[in-house]
Amino acid sequence: MFYLPTRIIFGENALREAAPHLAFGKRALIVSGRSSAVKSGVLGDLIPILNELNIEHKIFAQILENPLTSQIIAGKEFLLEHGCDFIIAIGGGSPLDAAKAIAIAAANDLSEDELYQLDLHKKSYPIVAIPTTHGTGSEVTQYSVLTHTKTNKKAGFGSDLNFPRLAIVDPRYMTSLSPKVSLHTALDALSHLLEGLYSLSRNKHLYPMIHRGVRLIVDNLSLCLKEPNHLPAREALALASLYGGITIAHTGTTLQHAIGYPFTSAFDTPHGLANAMFMKEMMEFNQPNIPQLIDELFKAINMSKEEFYNWLESFPIQIKVEISDDEEERWMDEILGARNIAASPRVPTRDELRALIHTVKKGV
Ligand code: NAP
Ligand code: FE
């Protein structure tokens, strides 16, 4: 089964190419982070196009990394106050995910506590997504990942209403990324691709895309870190990220994502790094259930598993953090209760999960 109701326009100057498909309304709410819409160059390209199309716009550039539910309510009020009739989301996964939730909250008049209640999601506003990172693939997914202001718990919700109507992916908008965000977001994309194999909802029609995506990241990540303006390398990472998004739109994410969330909530560990620090352990953990799929992956990318691990470990992803025993117990409850666990081929026992967490715990 394939379902992807998003028109995708990919490549250099994609925004210009997308102009004939952009008029979803008369007044756009532009949702972005504090700096990325400007730094990436998207806003400079977008405003003249909106003017040509006689589309008014209002800018809500207040989304922080790992968006809080309170920011969603502020965005909802801003949208309603200014009478916007569609959303253009610009940035990394944080503004893209926030835009989806703002659209749902505004269309259904939801409060902060009602955001996760899918039965209340009856309609939404059209969303155009313009990613400026190559990580989440949120431009082609139905997920919105938020941190609840009251509980500080990070969790996602998925709804078909969340799919952007249009995704505009131009690698030029990613050349301004810092080396750290470049690395972390590419590793998030890598995680999505691998989780497409791990997931119980795996779909063999996606395997060629997954293999290609992994190969693109292996071949281009170091080059991109050395030469941030290397456009073919950026384009490769942008494509891999898009493939990762298409993958998880079908398969969901797994324990690999669930295990990273408490680290992001507690220490602001960037999302991609939180995935990467468990990537090798997760592959070892899942391999006994899917040995053939792992073999096929490494055959397809013409690399051994050991070579892949050596490549992975050539990046600064080994971190150790202080975790109290109380925290560890609470996190295990949170991880084992996460929505993503349902798609995991192997659910860890508490002892197995503790052992996984101990791989990054200081003093163990
Ligand atoms: P992000 O949190 O959106 O952004 C990270 C940082 O990069 C921000 O400081 C941002 O700046 C900056 N930035 C973004 N684009 C830039 C550019 N072109 N040039 C310079 N700086 C730029 O990062 P992300 O990793 O893309 O998104 C992570 C979020 O997505 C997490 O909350 C994660 O849980 C979620 N996620 C969603 C899905 C999904 O399917 N929906 C999948 C995986 C992860 P400003 O903030 O100043 O603009
Ligand atoms: Fe992710």
Short mmCIF file of all heavy atoms in Angstrom, two decimals, residues 55-91:
data_model
loop_
_atom_site.label_atom_id
_atom_site.label_comp_id
_atom_site.label_asym_id
_atom_site.label_seq_id
_atom_site.Cartn_x
_atom_site.Cartn_y
_atom_site.Cartn_z
N ILE A 55 -0.95 37.06 -3.13
CA ILE A 55 -1.23 36.37 -1.86
C ILE A 55 -0.62 37.19 -0.73
O ILE A 55 0.58 37.48 -0.75
CB ILE A 55 -0.63 34.94 -1.87
CG1 ILE A 55 -1.29 34.09 -2.97
CG2 ILE A 55 -0.81 34.27 -0.51
CD1 ILE A 55 -0.65 32.72 -3.18
N GLU A 56 -1.46 37.60 0.21
CA GLU A 56 -0.93 38.33 1.38
C GLU A 56 -0.24 37.34 2.32
O GLU A 56 -0.50 36.13 2.24
CB GLU A 56 -2.07 39.00 2.14
CG GLU A 56 -2.75 40.13 1.40
CD GLU A 56 -3.92 40.67 2.23
OE1 GLU A 56 -3.81 40.75 3.46
OE2 GLU A 56 -4.95 40.96 1.61
N HIS A 57 0.60 37.86 3.22
CA HIS A 57 1.20 36.93 4.18
C HIS A 57 1.40 37.58 5.54
O HIS A 57 1.53 38.80 5.64
CB HIS A 57 2.54 36.41 3.64
CG HIS A 57 3.58 37.47 3.55
ND1 HIS A 57 3.73 38.27 2.44
CD2 HIS A 57 4.51 37.88 4.44
CE1 HIS A 57 4.71 39.12 2.64
NE2 HIS A 57 5.20 38.91 3.84
N LYS A 58 1.38 36.75 6.55
CA LYS A 58 1.69 37.17 7.93
C LYS A 58 2.75 36.20 8.42
O LYS A 58 2.67 34.98 8.14
CB LYS A 58 0.46 37.05 8.84
CG LYS A 58 -0.65 37.99 8.46
CD LYS A 58 -0.30 39.40 8.91
CE LYS A 58 -1.24 40.42 8.29
NZ LYS A 58 -0.76 41.79 8.49
N ILE A 59 3.73 36.70 9.16
CA ILE A 59 4.84 35.83 9.57
C ILE A 59 4.79 35.52 11.06
O ILE A 59 4.72 36.44 11.89
CB ILE A 59 6.20 36.48 9.20
CG1 ILE A 59 6.26 36.69 7.68
CG2 ILE A 59 7.36 35.62 9.67
CD1 ILE A 59 7.56 37.31 7.17
N PHE A 60 4.82 34.25 11.39
CA PHE A 60 4.90 33.79 12.78
C PHE A 60 6.23 33.03 12.93
O PHE A 60 6.31 31.83 12.66
CB PHE A 60 3.70 32.88 13.09
CG PHE A 60 3.61 32.45 14.52
CD1 PHE A 60 3.20 33.33 15.52
CD2 PHE A 60 3.93 31.15 14.89
CE1 PHE A 60 3.12 32.93 16.85
CE2 PHE A 60 3.85 30.74 16.22
CZ PHE A 60 3.44 31.63 17.20
N ALA A 61 7.27 33.77 13.29
CA ALA A 61 8.63 33.18 13.29
C ALA A 61 9.08 32.89 14.73
O ALA A 61 10.12 33.35 15.16
CB ALA A 61 9.60 34.14 12.60
N GLN A 62 8.26 32.14 15.44
CA GLN A 62 8.53 31.97 16.87
C GLN A 62 8.70 30.51 17.30
O GLN A 62 8.64 30.20 18.48
CB GLN A 62 7.36 32.55 17.66
CG GLN A 62 7.30 34.06 17.54
CD GLN A 62 6.11 34.63 18.29
OE1 GLN A 62 5.69 34.09 19.29
NE2 GLN A 62 5.57 35.72 17.77
N ILE A 63 8.86 29.63 16.33
CA ILE A 63 8.94 28.21 16.72
C ILE A 63 10.38 27.86 17.11
O ILE A 63 11.31 28.08 16.35
CB ILE A 63 8.48 27.30 15.55
CG1 ILE A 63 7.05 27.68 15.11
CG2 ILE A 63 8.57 25.84 15.96
CD1 ILE A 63 5.99 27.58 16.20
N LEU A 64 10.51 27.33 18.32
CA LEU A 64 11.84 26.94 18.80
C LEU A 64 12.08 25.46 18.49
O LEU A 64 11.14 24.74 18.14
CB LEU A 64 11.93 27.16 20.31
CG LEU A 64 11.63 28.60 20.77
CD1 LEU A 64 11.66 28.70 22.29
CD2 LEU A 64 12.62 29.60 20.15
N GLU A 65 13.32 25.04 18.67
CA GLU A 65 13.61 23.61 18.45
C GLU A 65 12.76 22.78 19.40
O GLU A 65 12.55 23.17 20.54
CB GLU A 65 15.09 23.35 18.75
CG GLU A 65 16.00 23.87 17.66
CD GLU A 65 17.46 23.58 17.94
OE1 GLU A 65 17.81 22.43 18.25
OE2 GLU A 65 18.26 24.52 17.85
N ASN A 66 12.31 21.63 18.96
CA ASN A 66 11.44 20.76 19.76
C ASN A 66 10.24 21.55 20.27
O ASN A 66 10.15 21.87 21.46
CB ASN A 66 12.22 20.13 20.93
CG ASN A 66 13.46 19.43 20.43
OD1 ASN A 66 13.37 18.55 19.58
ND2 ASN A 66 14.62 19.84 20.92
N PRO A 67 9.33 21.92 19.39
CA PRO A 67 8.27 22.87 19.74
C PRO A 67 7.38 22.42 20.90
O PRO A 67 7.06 21.24 21.03
CB PRO A 67 7.45 22.96 18.45
CG PRO A 67 7.88 21.83 17.58
CD PRO A 67 9.26 21.45 18.01
N LEU A 68 7.02 23.41 21.71
CA LEU A 68 6.15 23.17 22.86
C LEU A 68 4.69 23.35 22.44
O LEU A 68 4.39 24.16 21.55
CB LEU A 68 6.45 24.19 23.95
CG LEU A 68 7.80 24.07 24.65
CD1 LEU A 68 8.05 25.30 25.54
CD2 LEU A 68 7.83 22.79 25.50
N THR A 69 3.80 22.66 23.13
CA THR A 69 2.37 22.80 22.82
C THR A 69 1.91 24.25 23.02
O THR A 69 1.01 24.71 22.32
CB THR A 69 1.54 21.83 23.68
OG1 THR A 69 1.98 21.91 25.04
CG2 THR A 69 1.70 20.39 23.21
N SER A 70 2.53 24.97 23.96
CA SER A 70 2.12 26.37 24.18
C SER A 70 2.40 27.22 22.93
O SER A 70 1.65 28.15 22.62
CB SER A 70 2.84 26.96 25.39
OG SER A 70 4.23 26.82 25.23
N GLN A 71 3.49 26.89 22.20
CA GLN A 71 3.78 27.65 20.96
C GLN A 71 2.72 27.37 19.90
O GLN A 71 2.44 28.21 19.04
CB GLN A 71 5.15 27.27 20.40
CG GLN A 71 6.32 27.76 21.24
CD GLN A 71 7.60 27.01 20.90
OE1 GLN A 71 7.84 26.65 19.76
NE2 GLN A 71 8.42 26.77 21.90
N ILE A 72 2.13 26.18 19.95
CA ILE A 72 1.10 25.83 18.97
C ILE A 72 -0.14 26.69 19.22
O ILE A 72 -0.76 27.20 18.27
CB ILE A 72 0.72 24.32 19.10
CG1 ILE A 72 1.96 23.45 18.93
CG2 ILE A 72 -0.38 23.94 18.11
CD1 ILE A 72 2.81 23.70 17.72
N ILE A 73 -0.47 26.87 20.49
CA ILE A 73 -1.66 27.67 20.81
C ILE A 73 -1.42 29.14 20.42
O ILE A 73 -2.29 29.80 19.86
CB ILE A 73 -2.04 27.51 22.31
CG1 ILE A 73 -2.35 26.02 22.60
CG2 ILE A 73 -3.21 28.40 22.68
CD1 ILE A 73 -3.40 25.36 21.69
N ALA A 74 -0.20 29.63 20.67
CA ALA A 74 0.12 31.01 20.26
C ALA A 74 -0.01 31.14 18.73
O ALA A 74 -0.56 32.13 18.22
CB ALA A 74 1.52 31.38 20.71
N GLY A 75 0.45 30.13 18.00
CA GLY A 75 0.35 30.15 16.53
C GLY A 75 -1.09 30.08 16.06
O GLY A 75 -1.49 30.76 15.11
N LYS A 76 -1.89 29.26 16.73
CA LYS A 76 -3.32 29.14 16.38
C LYS A 76 -4.00 30.51 16.54
O LYS A 76 -4.72 30.97 15.65
CB LYS A 76 -3.97 28.12 17.34
CG LYS A 76 -5.48 28.20 17.43
CD LYS A 76 -6.01 27.45 18.67
CE LYS A 76 -7.43 27.89 18.99
NZ LYS A 76 -8.00 27.23 20.16
N GLU A 77 -3.71 31.19 17.68
CA GLU A 77 -4.35 32.49 17.91
C GLU A 77 -3.91 33.51 16.87
O GLU A 77 -4.70 34.30 16.38
CB GLU A 77 -4.06 32.96 19.34
CG GLU A 77 -4.97 32.22 20.32
CD GLU A 77 -4.49 32.22 21.76
OE1 GLU A 77 -3.52 32.92 22.08
OE2 GLU A 77 -5.12 31.47 22.55
N PHE A 78 -2.64 33.45 16.50
CA PHE A 78 -2.10 34.37 15.49
C PHE A 78 -2.79 34.13 14.15
O PHE A 78 -3.21 35.07 13.47
CB PHE A 78 -0.58 34.13 15.39
CG PHE A 78 0.15 35.15 14.56
CD1 PHE A 78 0.71 36.28 15.13
CD2 PHE A 78 0.30 34.96 13.18
CE1 PHE A 78 1.39 37.22 14.35
CE2 PHE A 78 0.98 35.89 12.39
CZ PHE A 78 1.53 37.01 12.98
N LEU A 79 -2.94 32.87 13.78
CA LEU A 79 -3.60 32.53 12.49
C LEU A 79 -5.04 33.07 12.47
O LEU A 79 -5.47 33.72 11.51
CB LEU A 79 -3.60 31.01 12.29
CG LEU A 79 -4.23 30.46 11.00
CD1 LEU A 79 -3.56 29.15 10.59
CD2 LEU A 79 -5.73 30.22 11.09
N LEU A 80 -5.77 32.82 13.58
CA LEU A 80 -7.18 33.22 13.61
C LEU A 80 -7.30 34.75 13.65
O LEU A 80 -8.14 35.34 12.95
CB LEU A 80 -7.88 32.58 14.81
CG LEU A 80 -7.98 31.04 14.75
CD1 LEU A 80 -8.55 30.47 16.05
CD2 LEU A 80 -8.83 30.58 13.56
N GLU A 81 -6.44 35.38 14.42
CA GLU A 81 -6.47 36.84 14.54
C GLU A 81 -6.26 37.52 13.18
O GLU A 81 -6.88 38.51 12.86
CB GLU A 81 -5.36 37.24 15.52
CG GLU A 81 -5.31 38.70 15.90
CD GLU A 81 -4.05 38.98 16.73
OE1 GLU A 81 -3.64 38.06 17.52
OE2 GLU A 81 -3.45 40.04 16.55
N HIS A 82 -5.37 36.93 12.36
CA HIS A 82 -5.04 37.55 11.08
C HIS A 82 -5.84 36.97 9.91
O HIS A 82 -5.62 37.36 8.76
CB HIS A 82 -3.54 37.44 10.81
CG HIS A 82 -2.73 38.25 11.77
ND1 HIS A 82 -2.62 39.61 11.68
CD2 HIS A 82 -2.04 37.88 12.88
CE1 HIS A 82 -1.88 40.06 12.68
NE2 HIS A 82 -1.52 39.02 13.42
N GLY A 83 -6.74 36.08 10.18
CA GLY A 83 -7.62 35.54 9.13
C GLY A 83 -6.86 34.85 8.00
O GLY A 83 -7.24 34.98 6.83
N CYS A 84 -5.81 34.09 8.34
CA CYS A 84 -5.05 33.38 7.29
C CYS A 84 -5.85 32.16 6.85
O CYS A 84 -6.61 31.58 7.63
CB CYS A 84 -3.70 32.96 7.82
SG CYS A 84 -2.70 34.38 8.30
N ASP A 85 -5.69 31.80 5.57
CA ASP A 85 -6.47 30.65 5.10
C ASP A 85 -5.60 29.48 4.61
O ASP A 85 -6.14 28.47 4.17
CB ASP A 85 -7.51 31.07 4.04
CG ASP A 85 -6.90 31.90 2.92
OD1 ASP A 85 -5.67 32.02 2.87
OD2 ASP A 85 -7.67 32.42 2.10
N PHE A 86 -4.29 29.59 4.68
CA PHE A 86 -3.41 28.45 4.51
C PHE A 86 -2.06 28.74 5.15
O PHE A 86 -1.81 29.87 5.58
CB PHE A 86 -3.30 28.01 3.05
CG PHE A 86 -2.44 28.86 2.14
CD1 PHE A 86 -1.22 28.38 1.66
CD2 PHE A 86 -2.86 30.12 1.73
CE1 PHE A 86 -0.43 29.13 0.79
CE2 PHE A 86 -2.08 30.90 0.87
CZ PHE A 86 -0.87 30.40 0.40
N ILE A 87 -1.22 27.70 5.24
CA ILE A 87 0.06 27.86 5.96
C ILE A 87 1.23 27.51 5.04
O ILE A 87 1.16 26.53 4.28
CB ILE A 87 0.11 26.94 7.21
CG1 ILE A 87 -0.98 27.35 8.21
CG2 ILE A 87 1.49 26.98 7.86
CD1 ILE A 87 -0.93 26.58 9.54
N ILE A 88 2.26 28.33 5.11
CA ILE A 88 3.53 27.96 4.46
C ILE A 88 4.54 27.77 5.59
O ILE A 88 4.83 28.71 6.34
CB ILE A 88 4.00 29.04 3.47
CG1 ILE A 88 2.92 29.30 2.40
CG2 ILE A 88 5.32 28.62 2.81
CD1 ILE A 88 3.27 30.38 1.38
N ALA A 89 5.02 26.55 5.76
CA ALA A 89 5.96 26.24 6.83
C ALA A 89 7.36 26.20 6.27
O ALA A 89 7.62 25.54 5.26
CB ALA A 89 5.60 24.88 7.44
N ILE A 90 8.26 26.93 6.92
CA ILE A 90 9.65 27.00 6.45
C ILE A 90 10.57 26.64 7.60
O ILE A 90 10.46 27.22 8.68
CB ILE A 90 10.00 28.44 6.00
CG1 ILE A 90 9.03 28.95 4.94
CG2 ILE A 90 11.45 28.51 5.49
CD1 ILE A 90 9.20 30.45 4.62
N GLY A 91 11.49 25.70 7.38
CA GLY A 91 12.47 25.40 8.41
C GLY A 91 12.75 23.92 8.53
O GLY A 91 12.44 23.13 7.63
#
